[in-house]
Amino acid sequence: MPTAGERDTRTAIFRGLQLKCPSCGNGRILSGYLKVKDECDCCGQELLHASVDDGPAYFTLLVVVAIIFPMFGLIYSLFDPEPLWVALSMMALATVLALGILPRIKGLFIGLQWAKRLHGF
Ligand SMILES: [Zn+2]
């Protein structure tokens, strides 16, 4: 249980992954696909301090590669597919995964910054 002034990092990260305010867990933190709101609609927590830069993009790339790369080995060990179709389908899957994961990773970073009081939070 966090003491006064201390923020629970695990809860903040979990709320960020759900794209919820790290402070109250109710308001949404993004107004568009990746645009961070100035403040939470529910509790008024200022979110404009979030400064995640390229971190979520790099982390998303790491996660997508960790998922896609073993799939190549699995597909080629189980089947004898046409390489062009494998490449095209893996590119499509990687794109869908990256687009789905990126906002959540950004939320994770915002939650972590809020919990650690970074960048003026
Ligand atoms: Zn809030």
Side-chain angles (χ1 to χ4, degrees), residues 11-29:
T11 301
I13 286 175
F14 186 69
R15 288 174 176 169
L17 280 171
Q18 294 176 312
L19 303 178
K20 301 288 185 186
C21 170
S23 179
C24 68
N26 293 319
R28 296 190 58 81
I29 55 175

